[in-house]
Amino acid sequence: MQNTNLNFCFLTAAFAAVLHWCHITHLFENDRHFSHLSTLEREMAFRTEMVILASWYRIYTKVMDLIGIQTKICWTVTRGEGLSPIESCEGLGDPACFYVAVIFILNGLMMALFFIYGTYLSGSRLGGLVTVLCFFFNHGECTRVMWTPPLRESFSYPFLVLQMLLVTHILRATKLYRGSLIALCISNVFFMLPWQFAQFVLLTQIASLFAVHVVGYIDVVKLRKIVYIHMISLALCFVLMFGNSMLLTSYYASSLVIIWGVLAVKPYLLKMNVSELSLWVIQGCFWLFGTIVLKYLTSRVFGITDDAHIGNLLTSKFFSYKDFDTLLYTCAAEFDFMEKETPLRYTKTLLLPVVLVIFIAIVRKIIIDMWGVVGKEQSHTRKHLLDHGELVYHALQLLAYTVLGILIMRLKLFLTPHMCVMASLICSRQLFGWLFYKVHPGAVVFAVLAAMSIQGSANLQTQWNIVGEFSNLPQEELIEWIRYNTKPDAVFAGAMPTMASVKLSALRPVVNHPHYEDAGLRARTKIVYSMYSRKAAEEVKRELIKLKVNYYILEESWCVRRSKPGCSMPEIWDVEDPGNAGKTPLCSVLVKESRPYFTTVFQNSVYKVLEVVKE
């Protein structure tokens, strides 16, 4: 019977994987011809996992060629209106199609993981069903993979789902097995390698686990092993990323060291004649201030400022702090605060009300347990007050993701899927056993899912109705001109998304690109973007010559567009360079007349290529 249940579980997980793969593929096909090509180019040009996928692609094409199987179909598209014909290809033999297919397969498998995750956490296959359906009903809030598959999170996030499932298993297990710890280490590495933001997510996880330990739901031995695994995976990533010192000076690394230190001195802390509550506060303060101080010291010792903009970004969320790099982030909608409409959308699908009920049920249990410990003052004896401490961990992780999602709208892509996982706990007998004695669990679950499906099905239909086609003739003209009218070693500068296209499609050297986690690159980008400031043309030209720039691609839209008050490029520069505030922006001057410091060598409706005049 147990084998039958297990087989059914895996079959259902496989069905969920195929269903999600079909869904995102259908949406992508509707918005055909890489409807976000600039994002595709921007993300593909400078990526860690591209090395792995490139090797897979080469192996695949060589094997297929060896056995004589056709891997792609190409055809010529006649566009008319004086435009030259272009070749379009489909099939895994096409590099872009291969990359997108791998991403879609990976995210299809992720849905199988979600089903297993929900089933394991709730103790019921109905919980897995709830998780999967909640994900589909809130698909637009859970992922962007169907619109922009090449984003780093599309490759990285499925491994986080696996990692959190393994953490849940480790927390629940009475005996730790080496295989589980090795799997956790591998999933950590695959999560961190592609995405620079992974370290901040893992910081919230290790902080949540430490808090769960402090109040007595995880024993010292188990947490210490988890910390060791995190340390090993961090060291492996450091090596595999060719000595990326930003990892070693991160808050994540500092937090791991401090937690390891707290666990080491735990026996001495237990000998202190203080109350249970005081002991919790001491450990919490030691972790918080220790992490901040150690992070500061390691950054100063190694001279690392690559992640300084992250601290400034968070500071700007709570205070009135502003600088050039911070405004570039906060003026983009995805890095602004969460939209007010988002909680409303959660409510319409009943995801938010269901998760709130579950969260309140967990908090109620925690309060009862903590009151018993604090009230009895039992000689600092650490107790396992719940049958499964993973419930407390998931509640704290939900709080962490909520804070991240509210502060930075893009990070709701962590919050929403976790809410879907939490929703599976509506099937948990540990939380709602009292209800299931009166009402059959299936009746409760299907009643909730029926109510969710009203808005959920409407959300799915809205996504299926989106049909689009990509066209960017001005950029195509620009790339063609660069390929046929400039030397292969000509150096270009301009807006980061455009530079990624120039590097990928024209194979020309660029001085800046969308890898903003490097301090040196941020400094170069600031110089390049001074073209949109109010500085003198001679001063900007002098700085561009120092960067050995031959051509600058000027875009008038960057000079005038404004996502919200204070967010046009000249206004951003007014904060950074108040001495020139009030003057005419340089970009506006150069759009009309580029001489004497620059020479216009190409121009269309969007782009103007300026050659830097050498002295």
Side-chain angles (χ1 to χ4, degrees):
M1 184 66 180
Q2 185 176 0
N3 288 336
T4 302
N5 289 338
L6 190 62
N7 291 336
F8 180 80
C9 180
F10 280 112
L11 282 173
T12 310
F15 175 74
V18 172
L19 190 64
H20 190 231
W21 178 82
C22 292
H23 176 63
I24 57 181
T25 303
H26 172 73
L27 295 177
F28 185 71
E29 289 293 328
N30 277 358
D31 207 8
R32 196 54 193 145
H33 301 304
F34 302 113
S35 57
H36 297 273
L37 186 60
S38 61
T39 305
L40 179 72
E41 292 175 328
R42 183 168 72 251
E43 292 292 336
M44 286 183 69
F46 314 99
R47 294 281 293 277
T48 303
E49 72 274 15
M50 285 303 297
V51 178
I52 300 173
L53 294 186
S55 65
W56 291 359
Y57 174 76
R58 287 181 181 274
I59 294 171
Y60 169 77
T61 53
K62 286 184 182 299
V63 170
M64 292 298 105
D65 289 343
L66 187 64
I67 60 180
I69 296 179
Q70 185 178 6
T71 58
K72 64 178 178 180
I73 299 174
C74 297
W75 60 90
T76 301
V77 178
T78 303
R79 297 182 292 174
E81 299 180 2
L83 301 176
S84 59
I86 59 171
E87 185 181 65
S88 185
C89 296
E90 276 190 348
L92 295 180
D94 181 71
C97 290
F98 182 87
Y99 181 87
V100 171
V102 171
I103 292 294
F104 283 175
I105 291 170
L106 187 61
N107 280 263
L109 293 174
M110 180 186 71
M111 193 53 57
L113 279 177
F114 270 121
F115 178 82
I116 297 171
Y117 195 168
T119 299
Y120 186 75
L121 182 63
S122 64
S124 168
R125 289 194 297 270
L126 289 175
L129 180 64
V130 169
T131 298
V132 169
L133 289 179
C134 283
F135 193 98
F136 275 104
F137 292 158
N138 298 274
H139 198 265
E141 307 295 323
C142 287
T143 181
R144 299 185 292 174
V145 68
M146 59 286 190
W147 312 130
T148 49
L151 290 177
R152 286 172 283 189
E153 68 205 39
S154 300
F155 192 90
S156 187
Y157 184 72
F159 294 102
L160 176 64
V161 179
L162 174 61
Q163 193 262 6
M164 292 184 66
L165 174 58
L166 290 168
V167 168
T168 304
H169 171 68
I170 290 170
L171 293 180
R172 179 175 292 182
T174 55
K175 181 181 179 181
L176 288 182
Y177 292 95
R178 182 179 299 177
S180 299
L181 297 175
I182 292 174
L184 178 62
C185 181
I186 294 173
S187 60
N188 273 354
V189 170
F190 276 92
F191 174 52
M192 281 192 284
L193 272 181
W195 198 12
Q196 83 289 352
F197 193 81
Q199 55 176 297
F200 298 100
V201 177
L202 294 178
L203 170 64
T204 67
Q205 181 182 94
I206 205 68
S208 300
L209 290 171
F210 180 65
V212 173
H213 161 73
V214 167
V215 296
Y217 291 105
I218 307 177
D219 62 71
V220 174
V221 175
K222 186 174 286 187
L223 181 60
R224 183 179 285 120
K225 288 185 178 181
I226 293 175
V227 169
Y228 285 158
I229 290 299
H230 275 268
M231 287 180 169
I232 293 170
S233 57
L234 183 65
L236 287 173
C237 285
F238 174 76
V239 173
L240 293 173
M241 297 178 76
F242 306 102
N244 186 346
S245 52
M246 189 176 79
L247 290 176
L248 299 184
T249 60
S250 64
Y251 284 104
Y252 171 51
S254 299
S255 179
L256 289 173
V257 173
I258 294 300
I259 291 174
W260 173 81
V262 172
L263 296 181
V265 301
K266 191 66 173 289
Y268 303 100
L269 293 176
L270 293 176
K271 295 177 183 179
M272 296 172 60
N273 188 24
V274 295
S275 66
E276 189 79 13
L277 183 60
S278 299
L279 192 62
W280 296 347
V281 174
I282 290 171
Q283 292 177 82
C285 291
F286 192 90
W287 170 80
L288 177 62
F289 294 110
T291 299
I292 294 173
V293 171
L294 184 59
K295 155 67 179 171
Y296 174 78
L297 292 176
T298 52
S299 296
R300 291 296 296 270
V301 169
F302 290 99
I304 302 301
T305 58
D306 289 342
D307 59 349
H309 64 301
I310 300 296
N312 294 338
L313 175 61
L314 293 177
T315 302
S316 70
K317 296 291 183 177
F318 298 102
F319 306 101
S320 58
Y321 177 82
K322 293 179 181 179
D323 64 15
F324 180 81
D325 297 322
T326 299
L327 286 171
L328 280 186
Y329 274 104
T330 56
C331 285
E334 59 266 30
F335 287 97
D336 204 351
F337 289 100
M338 179 186 286
E339 301 169 313
K340 296 178 181 178
E341 293 80 10
T342 299
L344 180 61
R345 289 194 284 266
Y346 290 154
T347 303
K348 286 181 177 180
T349 58
L350 296 186
L351 180 62
L352 182 59
V354 167
V355 172
L356 280 178
V357 169
I358 293 167
F359 183 77
I360 291 171
I362 295 175
V363 170
R364 179 177 174 274
K365 270 187 170 291
I366 295 173
I367 292 174
I368 293 173
D369 294 333
M370 293 304 100
W371 184 261
V373 171
V374 175
K376 293 177 182 178
E377 297 285 343
Q378 295 181 356
S379 308
H380 319 292
T381 301
R382 313 311 297 158
K383 290 189 172 183
H384 299 283
L385 302 169
L386 283 182
D387 292 334
H388 303 295
E390 73 274 9
L391 293 183
V392 185
Y393 158 67
H394 278 84
L396 291 177
Q397 190 68 72
L398 177 66
L399 288 178
Y401 285 159
T402 301
V403 172
L404 290 178
I406 291 174
L407 292 178
I408 301 175
M409 189 269 287
R410 179 180 181 178
L411 300 185
K412 70 179 180 181
L413 301 177
F414 290 110
L415 171 61
T416 316
H418 192 67
M419 290 174 68
C420 296
V421 172
M422 291 290 287
S424 70
L425 290 172
I426 196 174
C427 308
S428 172
R429 292 187 177 275
Q430 186 180 358
L431 292 177
F432 301 105
W434 57 272
L435 177 62
F436 298 152
Y437 282 124
K438 304 174 182 178
V439 184
H440 192 277
V444 175
V445 171
F446 284 110
V448 171
L449 290 177
M452 285 182 166
S453 66
I454 297 173
Q455 183 61 41
S457 58
N459 291 346
L460 287 172
Q461 192 61 51
T462 300
Q463 286 196 330
W464 291 333
N465 289 338
I466 297 175
V467 179
E469 186 176 57
F470 171 78
S471 178
N472 192 347
L473 182 60
Q475 189 173 96
E476 181 184 335
E477 292 173 346
L478 170 68
I479 297 300
E480 289 296 304
W481 181 88
I482 291 173
R483 290 175 59 189
Y484 294 110
N485 294 277
T486 63
K487 297 179 180 178
D489 60 350
V491 179
F492 282 79
M496 286 186 285
T498 305
M499 289 303 97
S501 299
V502 170
K503 176 64 178 176
L504 182 66
S505 301
L507 302 179
R508 295 300 189 267
V510 296
V511 298
N512 63 314
H513 61 74
H515 183 71
Y516 217 61
E517 290 72 41
D518 180 83
L521 186 55
R522 289 201 300 273
R524 292 202 303 274
T525 298
K526 188 174 179 180
I527 293 172
V528 170
Y529 280 18
S530 64
M531 188 68 81
Y532 300 99
S533 71
R534 305 179 195 272
K535 296 178 183 289
E538 184 179 8
E539 179 183 352
V540 173
K541 174 199 164 184
R542 190 184 311 119
E543 295 300 318
L544 291 177
I545 290 176
K546 290 180 182 178
L547 295 178
K548 300 181 180 180
V549 173
N550 301 117
Y551 298 95
Y552 191 100
I553 301 177
L554 183 68
E555 300 176 50
E556 185 180 5
S557 60
W558 278 65
C559 195
V560 297
R561 70 181 180 187
R562 190 185 192 213
S563 57
K564 60 182 178 180
C567 279
S568 67
M569 284 302 297
E571 288 174 320
I572 291 175
W573 269 104
D574 287 343
V575 174
E576 188 69 26
D577 183 27
N580 285 313
K583 297 181 181 179
T584 304
L586 176 60
C587 51
S588 298
V589 175
L590 295 178
V591 165
K592 297 176 182 178
E593 178 56 63
S594 60
R595 291 179 293 184
Y597 302 105
F598 303 92
T599 302
T600 301
V601 292
F602 171 83
Q603 184 172 2
N604 62 18
S605 59
V606 175
Y607 304 100
K608 186 173 186 177
V609 180
L610 306 177
E611 184 177 8
V612 180
V613 177
K614 305 295 183 182
E615 295 180 1

